[in-house]
Amino acid sequence: MPEATEFDETNVNLNEVDFSDLEEKYKVQAPDGFINKFVVCDGTPVAPESKAPVLKKVLAKLFGQCGKIERLDVPVNEGKTTGYVFVEYSNAQMALNAIKHLNGKKLDVKHRLLVNKLSDIEKYVLSGKVKDEFDEPKIPEFQSHGYMKSNLRDAAGRDQYLLHQNDEVGVYWFKRNLKPEPAISPRSQWTSAFMKWSPKGTYLFSLFPNGIQCWGGADFERISRFFHPSVRLVDCSPNEKYLVTLSPEPIALPPDDHPSRASFLFGPESQGHKLVIWDIRTSLPVKTFALPPNLENQASMPWPLIKWSYNDKYCARMGPDALAVYDVENDFSLIDKKLVKISGIMDFEFAPGGVKLAANRKSDPPEVVLSYWTPESSNQSARCSVMQLPSRSVLRTVNLVQVSDCQLFWQGQGKYLCCRVNRHTKSKKTRFTNLQIFQLEERDIPVESIDLQDVVIEIAWEPRGKRFVTISRPDSSENNPAFPTNSLTFYDTEEVKKGKGIMVPIKRWIPFKTTAGKYSNVVKFSPKGRFVVMAAMRDVKGELEFYDLDFDGEKPKDQSKKVASNVKMLATHQYQGLTNLEWEVSGRFIAGWSSSWKHKIENGFKIYDCIGRLLREEIIDGFKEFEWRPRPKSLLTKGDKKKVRKSLREYSAQFEEEDAMEANAELREQILRRKKLLHDWRSWRMSVDEKLEKMNLVAHRDEGKVEVIEEIKEIVLDEKEEIVE
Amino acid sequence: MMRPILLKGHERPLTQVKFNADGDLLFSVSKDQEASVWYSSNGERIGTLNGHKGTIWSIDVDPETDYVTTASADFTGKLWKAQSGECIYTWNFDAPAKRVEFSPDGNKVFFITDEVMGQIGTIKIFDIDHSKNEQSSTPVLEIKNDKGVSERFSVAAWGYGGLTIVAGHANGKLSKWDAKTGAFLGGVKPHDLLVTDIQTSPDKTYFITSSKDKSAKLFDVDKLELLKSYPSDAPLNSACITPVKDYIIVGGGQDARDVTTTSASEGKFEAKIHHKIFEDEIGRVKGHFGPLNYVAVHPRGTAYASGGEDGYIRVHHFAKSYFDFQYDVEKTAQAAEQQALDKKEQEEEEKKEQQAVEA
């Protein structure tokens, strides 16, 4: 046996000794969740040691609200408290409670408490995952995308439109009857579904499987992305501040420890939500919602689900028996922190403009108003009401009975509201329509009721006027689409004699012209008023009819003399494939198109001017959508506009000359192209003829040698001999 | 366009109509198993060719209007005397015959037999012996569409001099074959769907194709090079090239099985006239209430005939406006030509005068 070497204590390198067995043996066995009972509170006052007991008392009282405190330590260093304290609760639930309620709490003006789990401190701070030094986040440099409204600077003031055909999307300058000029070269795969302009035309949104992309500027560069997988529907607030998206796929947060969790856009409160509101400028989500349970797994979705007030100040969402109205400027919090309970609410609609209520002073800002309706229930009649925001006071309610359905139609400025009430007889066998017209700007909001025999299927207000047009049809069991049974009716208010001492009565609407026997089922009022286009869509006939409501000519006898309007049909067209119809913002042109999303017949588009002349027609296989680029409101004052109107003659002369020159340029180009084609063809033919001659294959038949043989046959049918004396 | 002559003699959809080389006669075949012969000028029916026991898919007349030949779904092709209407010979095949055409000299004829029941689609070329009725039953050449090369032959036409045959396939492909050796000379795939018709120019140096993919296209025979294309808004069944004027006429419409829910105007049952060189659409001729199955043009360019799914043949004799219509470019080109011609004449006259003076 070898002799044991002498154990020299001083020579031992402690780092080399294996203590693992001892560590194992004396390891503190913290019970499960033991550490979760502790919280660390930072941000408490730094006070002299003598004040520590007072501080401890104050904090103990505060933290005591959230659960039973086992122990509270206020560490002291160099005669001063350190600013942080440790609290041990009797269980983990209490600790979580304290974090939930006290984190971010202000102790006084200067001190804000930051409460965290002790385990988090261990996890993030001690492990070195969080750096000790503060790294200033880099704010990405502002990237200019050019002037976002460059299209408005066009010298000729031309409009833009978007064409989507097959997989290709292009934006073009509209040049009346001439070939449109591409604003950018058409892009393929620009969207996986459809494209959408923002309401004022600043942005262009395209859908992708992973979300929305936003484009803008003269070259339509990408401005931002909105990450929302499988997004299907998109909507934009009227002032282009917010974007609303809906996806059938609920938002799923990556697990806590997943690397993508930190950069994930949505917080834990968004788990399972499908509807997202985004701030367009930051491209970050500001609010998310789950779908109301009655809309889950529905094949067709009412859209938009979130409606906005005209000024983007409020938005609202309908749920069962309640309306949630959010104050946009106040972090999207509910107005008065509660829902607006409206039992049975079926539909609501914001006024598209600010309403100047008669009760207000003239200098008061216009009000935000919305309307809604509720159906009949056991002890209550159906109602259509108008509510003011944010006061939530109901300004006017109309009670209705025997109601099967209602629809709300606002006039473009919010001055009038027409509630179309579809009613049924007691036996419920026949249906008829009743129009309730609210005059928002009159004292007490008078409501006029117009009773009709027919069922109204479409209503269109003159956007800035008081006239409207309806399409109606008699309600009968035999609704054969092959027979034209629809009628168009034009409504205007009765003329009132103006003068001193005559009280201006409230407006009365009268139908001043009706034409029956139509197929039309869609009516579009020009954005600038006066002109109306009716169309029969989704129909075999495909009629288009143009009307002028202020026709300058003798008024025919069949129109009521009581109104100022004089309606005249200007033109009719046939357009079989028609699936969509949209006015250009200035009201000068209207585009109709046939989308291959609906059917494959005559896909393409046609553009007419407001008096019904066809300007341009293109038949494009696989054509999908046509979208006019919207324009913001004009900046011209009333005086400016008047001036323009006055010197219209000079302007038009100038513009006509420009148009002619433009047309010539295009014509010349076309002629040159044709000349080349003709020349190419002729020279090719010549070479072929020469070749054939060489091969001795020239047609042996001479074109000039046509022999026409005319045979005249005389057939004697009858012969009679008469002797003339 | 003058008022059309409506020829009502067939009880089922027309499959092909054709003018003879002189243009005085019109031949038509239909699914009712009969071929008819008409005067093209007034639409009077001269007679019928009876004998087939199935749909007759195709008919052709030789350049001298001596013989008529037909291809039928009853697995036969027949040769008829044009003058008497008597059937003088019958070829028997193992599959329906879809298409027949005489070579430019009238001494040969090809049949396309269909690719059904395990048969390989084939173009069979036979000699025609003008001296006797009995013809050879063995083809001088067989061009087999060997499986895997392409989808079946749908249509074909002779190239100039009868040297080549160009064929259209069911998948939109075109192929070219040597008519003597049967060698494959090249192929292109200009269409996405079935090629429904091939018709050649009068000198057979270029041809037009029509397809279910809603387009017609013009190619040269030598290189199968795409010269022009004419997009349309409905599937096309036929296309032809007009002599005299630089136009082409196409016909088609929504397929019969798709039209039950659509009205006549929606089905696009129209013949459309395009400018051959500029490709623009010039006019449309409505009238049929079913798809147009075939359009044929008079060899002198004075009329065209269309055969419809509706069982009618419409013969349109062109009016003066048709011949007068010219693009400005064509007018100026013509004027320039005329000027050049005048100048030449003048120069020649001057020369003659000079010579005379010298003499």
Side-chain angles (χ1 to χ4, degrees), chain B residues 59-72:
Chain B
I59 187 164
D60 198 29
V61 200
D62 80 337
E64 303 301 328
T65 321
D66 290 333
Y67 292 117
V68 177
T69 172
T70 51
S72 165

PDB file of all heavy atoms in Angstrom, chain B residues 59-72:
ATOM      1  N   ILE B  59     -66.874  18.666 -94.984  1.00  0.00           N
ATOM      2  CA  ILE B  59     -67.123  18.490 -96.419  1.00  0.00           C
ATOM      3  C   ILE B  59     -66.086  19.304 -97.179  1.00  0.00           C
ATOM      4  O   ILE B  59     -65.602  20.316 -96.671  1.00  0.00           O
ATOM      5  CB  ILE B  59     -68.567  18.932 -96.777  1.00  0.00           C
ATOM      6  CG1 ILE B  59     -68.896  18.584 -98.235  1.00  0.00           C
ATOM      7  CG2 ILE B  59     -68.783  20.424 -96.534  1.00  0.00           C
ATOM      8  CD1 ILE B  59     -70.386  18.617 -98.538  1.00  0.00           C
ATOM      9  N   ASP B  60     -65.718  18.825 -98.386  1.00  0.00           N
ATOM     10  CA  ASP B  60     -64.848  19.665 -99.208  1.00  0.00           C
ATOM     11  C   ASP B  60     -65.139  19.392-100.682  1.00  0.00           C
ATOM     12  O   ASP B  60     -65.647  18.323-101.041  1.00  0.00           O
ATOM     13  CB  ASP B  60     -63.365  19.407 -98.891  1.00  0.00           C
ATOM     14  CG  ASP B  60     -62.486  20.556 -99.392  1.00  0.00           C
ATOM     15  OD1 ASP B  60     -63.006  21.700 -99.450  1.00  0.00           O
ATOM     16  OD2 ASP B  60     -61.311  20.331 -99.714  1.00  0.00           O
ATOM     17  N   VAL B  61     -64.818  20.374-101.514  1.00  0.00           N
ATOM     18  CA  VAL B  61     -65.046  20.290-102.948  1.00  0.00           C
ATOM     19  C   VAL B  61     -63.698  20.455-103.631  1.00  0.00           C
ATOM     20  O   VAL B  61     -62.877  21.244-103.165  1.00  0.00           O
ATOM     21  CB  VAL B  61     -65.951  21.448-103.426  1.00  0.00           C
ATOM     22  CG1 VAL B  61     -66.570  21.086-104.762  1.00  0.00           C
ATOM     23  CG2 VAL B  61     -66.989  21.786-102.401  1.00  0.00           C
ATOM     24  N   ASP B  62     -63.459  19.731-104.716  1.00  0.00           N
ATOM     25  CA  ASP B  62     -62.153  19.876-105.370  1.00  0.00           C
ATOM     26  C   ASP B  62     -62.157  21.137-106.247  1.00  0.00           C
ATOM     27  O   ASP B  62     -63.210  21.722-106.501  1.00  0.00           O
ATOM     28  CB  ASP B  62     -61.783  18.603-106.139  1.00  0.00           C
ATOM     29  CG  ASP B  62     -62.474  18.531-107.488  1.00  0.00           C
ATOM     30  OD1 ASP B  62     -63.526  19.185-107.628  1.00  0.00           O
ATOM     31  OD2 ASP B  62     -61.975  17.826-108.377  1.00  0.00           O
ATOM     32  N   PRO B  63     -60.983  21.593-106.683  1.00  0.00           N
ATOM     33  CA  PRO B  63     -60.906  22.901-107.354  1.00  0.00           C
ATOM     34  C   PRO B  63     -61.772  22.979-108.618  1.00  0.00           C
ATOM     35  O   PRO B  63     -62.197  24.065-109.006  1.00  0.00           O
ATOM     36  CB  PRO B  63     -59.428  23.037-107.703  1.00  0.00           C
ATOM     37  CG  PRO B  63     -58.715  22.136-106.753  1.00  0.00           C
ATOM     38  CD  PRO B  63     -59.644  21.010-106.466  1.00  0.00           C
ATOM     39  N   GLU B  64     -62.026  21.863-109.256  1.00  0.00           N
ATOM     40  CA  GLU B  64     -62.796  21.912-110.501  1.00  0.00           C
ATOM     41  C   GLU B  64     -64.276  21.628-110.269  1.00  0.00           C
ATOM     42  O   GLU B  64     -65.057  21.522-111.215  1.00  0.00           O
ATOM     43  CB  GLU B  64     -62.229  20.882-111.489  1.00  0.00           C
ATOM     44  CG  GLU B  64     -60.758  21.067-111.798  1.00  0.00           C
ATOM     45  CD  GLU B  64     -60.450  22.440-112.406  1.00  0.00           C
ATOM     46  OE1 GLU B  64     -61.326  22.986-113.127  1.00  0.00           O
ATOM     47  OE2 GLU B  64     -59.352  22.985-112.138  1.00  0.00           O
ATOM     48  N   THR B  65     -64.673  21.472-109.035  1.00  0.00           N
ATOM     49  CA  THR B  65     -66.036  21.108-108.662  1.00  0.00           C
ATOM     50  C   THR B  65     -66.475  19.821-109.365  1.00  0.00           C
ATOM     51  O   THR B  65     -67.610  19.701-109.829  1.00  0.00           O
ATOM     52  CB  THR B  65     -67.036  22.274-108.913  1.00  0.00           C
ATOM     53  OG1 THR B  65     -66.400  23.487-108.565  1.00  0.00           O
ATOM     54  CG2 THR B  65     -68.290  22.117-108.073  1.00  0.00           C
ATOM     55  N   ASP B  66     -65.543  18.860-109.477  1.00  0.00           N
ATOM     56  CA  ASP B  66     -65.899  17.537-109.990  1.00  0.00           C
ATOM     57  C   ASP B  66     -66.338  16.639-108.837  1.00  0.00           C
ATOM     58  O   ASP B  66     -67.312  15.913-108.952  1.00  0.00           O
ATOM     59  CB  ASP B  66     -64.686  16.876-110.661  1.00  0.00           C
ATOM     60  CG  ASP B  66     -64.328  17.572-111.963  1.00  0.00           C
ATOM     61  OD1 ASP B  66     -65.263  18.155-112.557  1.00  0.00           O
ATOM     62  OD2 ASP B  66     -63.146  17.533-112.346  1.00  0.00           O
ATOM     63  N   TYR B  67     -65.577  16.686-107.784  1.00  0.00           N
ATOM     64  CA  TYR B  67     -65.808  15.769-106.672  1.00  0.00           C
ATOM     65  C   TYR B  67     -66.131  16.520-105.391  1.00  0.00           C
ATOM     66  O   TYR B  67     -65.666  17.636-105.166  1.00  0.00           O
ATOM     67  CB  TYR B  67     -64.549  14.937-106.401  1.00  0.00           C
ATOM     68  CG  TYR B  67     -64.208  13.972-107.491  1.00  0.00           C
ATOM     69  CD1 TYR B  67     -63.020  14.104-108.205  1.00  0.00           C
ATOM     70  CD2 TYR B  67     -65.064  12.899-107.780  1.00  0.00           C
ATOM     71  CE1 TYR B  67     -62.682  13.220-109.190  1.00  0.00           C
ATOM     72  CE2 TYR B  67     -64.724  12.008-108.783  1.00  0.00           C
ATOM     73  CZ  TYR B  67     -63.537  12.161-109.490  1.00  0.00           C
ATOM     74  OH  TYR B  67     -63.210  11.275-110.463  1.00  0.00           O
ATOM     75  N   VAL B  68     -66.928  15.827-104.574  1.00  0.00           N
ATOM     76  CA  VAL B  68     -67.190  16.313-103.215  1.00  0.00           C
ATOM     77  C   VAL B  68     -66.783  15.188-102.286  1.00  0.00           C
ATOM     78  O   VAL B  68     -66.978  14.023-102.610  1.00  0.00           O
ATOM     79  CB  VAL B  68     -68.690  16.636-103.031  1.00  0.00           C
ATOM     80  CG1 VAL B  68     -68.973  17.060-101.593  1.00  0.00           C
ATOM     81  CG2 VAL B  68     -69.126  17.708-104.002  1.00  0.00           C
ATOM     82  N   THR B  69     -66.198  15.534-101.172  1.00  0.00           N
ATOM     83  CA  THR B  69     -65.880  14.479-100.221  1.00  0.00           C
ATOM     84  C   THR B  69     -66.381  14.885 -98.837  1.00  0.00           C
ATOM     85  O   THR B  69     -66.429  16.068 -98.503  1.00  0.00           O
ATOM     86  CB  THR B  69     -64.365  14.171-100.208  1.00  0.00           C
ATOM     87  OG1 THR B  69     -64.096  13.276 -99.139  1.00  0.00           O
ATOM     88  CG2 THR B  69     -63.540  15.403-100.022  1.00  0.00           C
ATOM     89  N   THR B  70     -66.792  13.883 -98.070  1.00  0.00           N
ATOM     90  CA  THR B  70     -67.355  14.152 -96.753  1.00  0.00           C
ATOM     91  C   THR B  70     -66.704  13.237 -95.716  1.00  0.00           C
ATOM     92  O   THR B  70     -66.256  12.140 -96.030  1.00  0.00           O
ATOM     93  CB  THR B  70     -68.878  13.893 -96.730  1.00  0.00           C
ATOM     94  OG1 THR B  70     -69.119  12.594 -97.266  1.00  0.00           O
ATOM     95  CG2 THR B  70     -69.641  14.923 -97.529  1.00  0.00           C
ATOM     96  N   ALA B  71     -66.664  13.729 -94.466  1.00  0.00           N
ATOM     97  CA  ALA B  71     -66.129  12.941 -93.352  1.00  0.00           C
ATOM     98  C   ALA B  71     -67.215  12.850 -92.294  1.00  0.00           C
ATOM     99  O   ALA B  71     -67.827  13.861 -91.944  1.00  0.00           O
ATOM    100  CB  ALA B  71     -64.895  13.610 -92.770  1.00  0.00           C
ATOM    101  N   SER B  72     -67.453  11.638 -91.804  1.00  0.00           N
ATOM    102  CA  SER B  72     -68.610  11.459 -90.939  1.00  0.00           C
ATOM    103  C   SER B  72     -68.260  10.704 -89.666  1.00  0.00           C
ATOM    104  O   SER B  72     -67.268   9.978 -89.578  1.00  0.00           O
ATOM    105  CB  SER B  72     -69.694  10.701 -91.706  1.00  0.00           C
ATOM    106  OG  SER B  72     -70.672  10.215 -90.824  1.00  0.00           O
TER     107      SER B  72
END
